[in-house]
Amino acid sequence: MELPTLQERLAIVLAKRESLKKLLDLPGNGTLRIDIESALAELDELISDFKRTFPDLDISA
């Protein structure tokens, strides 16, 4: 896979992460909050791995 494609896909992941953060801030999530927190943790791990793999890229997260 080409680097520009990876960057585009990472931008999509980062946008979805922001959506999850907004969902987390909404009241009344109940037990869904656990799933949202888990998804955020997994995305953060994915982003961290990407940064370690491609340290020269500018990743805003």
Side-chain angles (χ1 to χ4, degrees):
M1 185 177 300
E2 297 294 321
L3 189 57
T5 304
L6 283 174
Q7 288 175 301
E8 289 172 15
R9 291 184 180 185
L10 183 62
I12 293 168
V13 169
L14 292 172
K16 292 184 185 298
R17 184 186 184 284
E18 290 303 314
S19 297
L20 285 172
K21 282 176 54 178
K22 289 178 185 175
L23 273 176
L24 193 60
D25 292 336
L26 294 176
N29 284 332
T31 58
L32 184 60
R33 182 175 187 85
I34 296 168
D35 293 330
I36 295 170
E37 289 172 345
S38 176
L40 277 170
E42 289 180 26
L43 282 177
D44 287 343
E45 186 177 333
L46 175 69
I47 293 165
S48 177
D49 289 346
F50 191 89
K51 286 179 179 180
R52 277 194 306 276
T53 305
F54 302 101
D56 296 335
L57 291 181
D58 179 31
I59 301 169
S60 304

